[in-house]
Amino acid sequence: MEHSKQTQYSSNEKKDGGSVLNGHFDGMVKRSAAAQPPGAESGSHRPVMESWREERTRSVEDNEMSLPCLAAAYTTILRGLGEDPQRQGLLKTPWRAATAMQFFTKGYQEKIIDVLNDAIFDEDHDEMVIVKDIDMFSMCEHHLVPIFGRVHIGYLPNKRVLGLSKLARIVEIYSRRLQVQERLTKQIAVAITEALQPTGVGVVIEATHMCMVMRGVQKMNSKTVTSTMLGVFREDPKTRDEFLTLIRS
Amino acid sequence: MNGHCNVNVNDTVEKFQCNNGFSDLSIDTKKSERDTSRKEDEDKSCLDLHVLEAAYTSILRELGEDTDRQGLLRTPLRAAKAMQFLTKGYHETISDILNDAIFDEDHNEMVIVKNIDMFSLCEHHLVPFFGKVHIGYIPNKNVVGLSKLARIVELFSRRLQVQERLTKQIAMGISEALRPKGVAVVIEATHMCMVMRGVQKINSRTVTSTMLGVYLEDPKTREEFLTLSQNP
């Protein structure tokens, strides 16, 4: 389904001469579909840019089947840390930790197309729509430690608007995975663009990384801010300015 | 030390050791037994790291991820080291960290160190909980270096914990080291296991406290501590 969406999308842009999206975004799509970008390591199986387009599917049945293996791994971890897995407080911890981890990665079980649920409506509205302060919880793919923060999304509709909660659901799908904040920001922006073909999309994420706060450099108050601006949000500084001002207030 | 404080400490210590299989005293014993050979310790630690790494690789696969993709290539090793760091409190003892920083001082007024940032791991879900610790004590001819209070918090929080037990362990640790007239510990923390999953209540905070000695007996002393340790 992912591939067919991509093809349809490319054919659309050919039809109306790329009026919806600016050259930058077009360029990004074509680049990802075509050659391997220079930054990709030879060791990985696929180009770096493409990996974020894939929507992996895991099912509830897969979860049930992996649970014993996950629990066994967690028991090993408890022992490896020097704890006693048989003491009262830790008896059911491997199962709880395994279920928790499956919950934290439930984004792999969902597809955007299911979540949007046809909540796309024709509306003659072409002013900015912003949903801000969406709480986000993710897992750092490098240390398997939580990342949490807020996501602010703005878009300029092009005759089609999206149910507002669906923006938050898109955030949930992509954040409940092993993530890198830069990739998460881009995935959210691209998903909205593909679903709505709006005039522009802006996504800003401000998050705290426990891997930096609880360990390593241990900077308690540090925050990481990433943003992705597509379409008019990228081309037109005034639009971008309006978006950034409105999310700050 | 007053009679009450003695009684309270001993009772609490006994009850405490029965209930918690991993009390500080048992840690001390384990460490002294292991102290026999440093090379043995290092070898064991290396072996543990490999075991943890393999476990994390298995976890990544079972979650449906691709362990060969660039971002995850060294994740099992990083996650294993991170987990070892987050549980480093198991390998330290009070006597090591206090480092003889106990001084004779004729001071018997309250000493408070507040807003000590604390990061720990929930022993039920292996997910972080973090917050602030406020410690107060009334010295009995001995004061302790102020940073040592924060180091005691680190010692007990860098373990698989339950907030109630953590509060008590900190209080007991200070009590046993200093024999003060009273110790008070308050912890206010956010539990990611409640925020990121389960009931998902983002603004919830858990507050626990342990009062020993005069803080337990005398309501005015307790009130003074609670007022001074609050943030406006």
Side-chain angles (χ1 to χ4, degrees):
Chain A
M1 185 165 284
E2 181 62 29
H3 290 297
S4 66
K5 261 169 59 180
Q6 202 169 326
T7 326
Q8 185 193 26
Y9 176 71
S10 311
S11 67
N12 274 347
E13 74 191 38
K14 278 182 200 138
K15 267 187 224 162
D16 42 20
S19 61
V20 172
L21 303 148
N22 65 16
H24 270 236
F25 188 78
D26 277 344
M28 234 186 335
V29 169
K30 281 178 193 147
R31 206 164 52 234
S32 69
Q36 194 149 342
E41 280 195 7
S42 51
S44 57
H45 289 163
R46 41 182 172 275
V48 170
M49 289 289 277
E50 263 189 30
S51 64
W52 52 255
R53 301 193 128 269
E54 289 185 13
E55 292 198 36
R56 298 175 199 84
T57 307
R58 191 175 83 188
S59 66
V60 175
E61 291 79 29
D62 289 336
N63 280 354
E64 281 171 16
M65 282 177 30
S66 346
L67 208 54
C69 241
L70 279 171
Y74 275 111
T75 310
T76 311
I77 289 173
L78 290 178
R79 257 191 226 112
L81 294 173
E83 262 284 10
D84 170 18
Q86 298 307 310
R87 72 172 171 88
Q88 192 212 31
L90 296 185
L91 266 179
K92 290 176 68 183
T93 292
W95 294 94
R96 282 187 292 243
T99 318
M101 200 48 134
Q102 284 185 331
F103 182 86
F104 296 144
T105 53
K106 68 180 170 71
Y108 293 135
Q109 289 167 225
E110 295 156 343
K111 281 185 178 174
I112 293 283
I113 198 78
D114 296 330
V115 141
L116 289 186
N117 207 20
D118 298 323
I120 297 176
F121 307 103
D122 296 319
E123 199 71 37
D124 191 15
H125 182 81
D126 58 0
E127 298 289 338
M128 203 180 292
V129 177
I130 295 177
V131 179
K132 62 179 192 171
D133 294 332
I134 302 170
D135 290 300
M136 176 277 295
F137 300 95
S138 190
M139 292 293 275
C140 162
E141 74 175 16
H142 299 141
H143 301 93
L144 301 185
V145 169
I147 302 169
F148 54 88
R150 291 192 163 169
V151 183
H152 312 288
I153 300 175
Y155 74 101
L156 267 170
N158 186 19
K159 309 294 182 201
R160 301 199 312 171
V161 297
L162 182 62
L164 297 171
S165 77
K166 303 303 180 244
L167 291 169
R169 287 189 188 274
I170 292 175
V171 170
E172 271 285 291
I173 287 192
Y174 287 119
S175 60
R176 296 290 187 182
R177 296 182 178 190
L178 303 184
Q179 275 289 8
V180 158
Q181 191 176 326
E182 296 87 334
R183 185 196 312 138
L184 172 60
T185 321
K186 184 166 277 172
Q187 279 177 316
I188 295 170
V190 168
I192 297 169
T193 306
E194 286 181 354
L196 289 183
Q197 276 93 48
T199 316
V201 178
V203 177
V204 173
I205 300 185
E206 183 176 325
T208 303
H209 291 242
M210 292 268 95
C211 53
M212 260 184 83
V213 165
M214 279 181 84
R215 59 162 291 288
V217 74
Q218 294 187 69
K219 295 295 180 188
M220 313 289 161
N221 299 317
S222 65
K223 289 211 190 345
T224 305
V225 182
T226 51
S227 64
T228 297
M229 303 290 170
L230 302 175
V232 289
F233 282 80
R234 179 174 276 216
E235 291 167 3
D236 181 7
K238 285 197 151 59
T239 310
R240 199 185 321 151
D241 226 8
E242 184 186 340
F243 170 60
L244 294 174
T245 309
L246 286 172
I247 63 174
R248 235 176 271 134
S249 61
Chain B
M1 198 141 78
N2 65 27
H4 266 243
C5 188
N6 266 335
V7 167
N8 277 339
V9 166
N10 288 339
D11 277 355
T12 331
V13 168
E14 276 176 25
K15 262 187 265 178
F16 187 57
Q17 281 177 324
C18 292
N19 292 338
N20 176 12
F22 222 99
S23 70
D24 186 50
L25 294 183
S26 70
I27 301 282
D28 275 352
T29 321
K30 280 182 190 174
K31 187 173 168 26
S32 62
E33 279 167 1
R34 283 208 306 264
D35 258 346
T36 46
S37 160
R38 184 183 286 186
K39 185 162 188 320
E40 278 177 20
D41 278 352
E42 281 170 8
D43 288 342
K44 184 175 188 311
S45 166
C46 214
L47 185 62
D48 287 340
L49 197 62
H50 287 309
V51 165
L52 290 173
E53 216 183 316
Y56 274 112
T57 309
S58 162
I59 288 172
L60 289 177
R61 266 198 215 109
E62 293 299 325
L63 290 175
E65 263 285 8
D66 170 17
T67 48
D68 291 327
R69 71 173 173 87
Q70 188 207 32
L72 294 187
L73 271 178
R74 291 184 57 198
T75 291
L77 181 60
R78 281 185 293 243
K81 283 189 181 166
M83 201 48 134
Q84 283 187 328
F85 179 84
L86 297 176
T87 53
K88 68 181 168 73
Y90 287 132
H91 306 292
E92 296 162 346
T93 62
I94 290 256
S95 45
D96 289 339
I97 60 175
L98 284 186
N99 206 19
D100 294 326
I102 296 179
F103 309 104
D104 297 322
E105 199 69 37
D106 191 15
H107 183 81
N108 56 2
E109 301 286 340
M110 201 179 298
V111 177
I112 296 177
V113 179
K114 62 180 191 172
N115 294 337
I116 302 170
D117 290 302
M118 175 278 297
F119 300 93
S120 190
L121 278 178
C122 160
E123 74 175 15
H124 300 141
H125 301 92
L126 302 185
V127 168
F129 68 95
F130 51 87
K132 291 197 191 287
V133 183
H134 312 292
I135 299 175
Y137 75 103
I138 299 188
N140 186 19
K141 308 294 182 202
N142 283 343
V143 297
V144 71
L146 298 171
S147 78
K148 304 302 180 248
L149 293 171
R151 286 187 189 276
I152 292 176
V153 170
E154 274 283 291
L155 168 73
F156 289 116
S157 62
R158 299 290 186 182
R159 297 180 180 189
L160 302 185
Q161 276 288 8
V162 159
Q163 192 177 326
E164 296 87 335
R165 184 195 315 139
L166 172 60
T167 321
K168 185 164 273 173
Q169 280 177 316
I170 294 171
M172 298 300 303
I174 298 170
S175 235
E176 284 167 11
L178 289 183
R179 306 289 177 199
K181 293 191 177 144
V183 181
V185 178
V186 171
I187 301 186
E188 182 174 329
T190 304
H191 289 244
M192 291 274 101
C193 54
M194 261 184 82
V195 165
M196 279 181 83
R197 60 165 288 290
V199 74
Q200 296 188 70
K201 295 296 180 187
I202 299 188
N203 298 316
S204 65
R205 300 250 190 298
T206 304
V207 182
T208 51
S209 64
T210 297
M211 305 286 169
L212 299 176
V214 288
Y215 287 97
L216 190 61
E217 299 163 10
D218 181 4
K220 286 198 147 58
T221 312
R222 198 183 320 153
E223 208 186 302
E224 183 185 341
F225 167 70
L226 293 174
T227 311
L228 289 172
S229 63
Q230 252 168 32
N231 291 316

